[in-house]
Amino acid sequence: MSIPTLFTPYSVRSVTMRNRLWVAPMCEYSVEKHDGVPTDWHLVHLGGFAKGGAGLVITEATAVSAEGRISPEDTGIYSDEQRDAWSRIVAFIHSQGAVAGIQLSHAGRKASTWRPWAPERGTVPQSEGGWLAVAPSAVAFTGYAVPAELDRAGIDGIVADFAAATRRSIDAGFDVLELHAAHGYLLHQFLSPLSNLRTDEYGGSLENRARLLLEVIAAVRAEAGEAAALFVRFSATDWADGGWDQEQTATVAGWARDAGADFFDISTGGLVSGTTIPLAPGYQVPFADFVKHASSVEVSAVGLITEARQAEEIITSGRADAVMLARAIMRDPHFPLRAAHELGVELDYWPAQYLRAKWPA
């Protein structure tokens, strides 16, 4: 009997994932010292997914600078101490047979916010450990403080921060680098005409709005070398009139591929509040499908993918090359092992310590 496509290996450059069930970035807001250094929580959280059989485990949005953190409790990769702490986590992920990825991020105007379970909402004031956020334009996200508009020196500094974060990520042992250009964070803010009102070479036309992303991709590829896999996460729509959409996403994905990116992680939304999103199982898969075929690029799909056969069908139908799991794998970190059982696949990477819990053949 042939192996379901979901459990066949998948390679990007020199990196091979053992299957196509991958862990999407999920913010944990759990750095208690506000120093960006990942903790034992991150080791157990991410290591559990590797132990559970995932092919690729990607970290939460990891800031390339202190000002790029979403919250004071976010992780970073802008210091050697952070690099060394990530190295320990990467080593464990590798020990379980999974590939380790890091999502490099700058929150832009959505930086310096309270973590979700804090009683407060909105922007953390500077008097309480917050900072002034930056953005392409001085336009606030709903309920947040107005950011400072980046000047040319600031933009050049962003590119340099991504390059430096790349070097530390490679030194920490990460196999996959993912640039966060989705969910309303800085690179997405430059892409969307709803948040980018600039009139210089970084605003206006699609080419100008994509300029920063393409500069970051070039800088990251130059620093990472040819072996590392480079992903870009896009929100394929703002779900808002006049905003970023799937056609623009497909066009820029082609440019990004030509600039050195390899693979595209397709999500949606996050730039503006008050939108209506038609939530349903696999509701974002059509966007991945569109980008894949419009631009002839490789993509993953994410969003309410909760069942093994659903995931298998997404791949065998040709709509995506892999699936990303978030809430479903948080509920069941051993989702890949369970999915293999449901699809009749005999895996050789069950943890030896757990073999007595394996289902009978």
Side-chain angles (χ1 to χ4, degrees), residues 103-122:
Q103 187 183 63
L104 301 178
S105 177
H106 192 299
R109 69 179 186 174
K110 294 176 80 172
S112 188
T113 60
W114 298 100
R115 59 183 174 183
W117 57 86
E120 303 89 347
R121 290 291 179 269

Side-chain angles (χ1 to χ4, degrees), residues 119-161:
E120 303 89 347
R121 290 291 179 269
T123 302
V124 178
Q126 295 184 47
S127 61
E128 298 189 48
W131 57 91
L132 177 63
V134 296
S137 304
V139 178
F141 183 79
T142 304
Y144 293 4
V146 176
E149 181 174 313
L150 283 161
D151 59 15
R152 181 54 188 269
I155 290 174
D156 290 344
I158 297 293
V159 176
D161 287 340

Side-chain angles (χ1 to χ4, degrees), residues 305-341:
I305 299 170
T306 60
E307 301 295 337
R309 287 178 177 80
Q310 175 196 15
E312 170 71 3
E313 189 278 332
I314 289 168
I315 296 173
T316 57
S317 67
R319 291 184 288 167
D321 301 287
V323 296
M324 294 276 189
L325 302 175
R327 288 173 176 84
I329 206 163
M330 290 178 79
R331 290 189 289 267
D332 178 7
H334 296 97
F335 184 106
L337 299 181
R338 177 171 59 82
H341 172 68

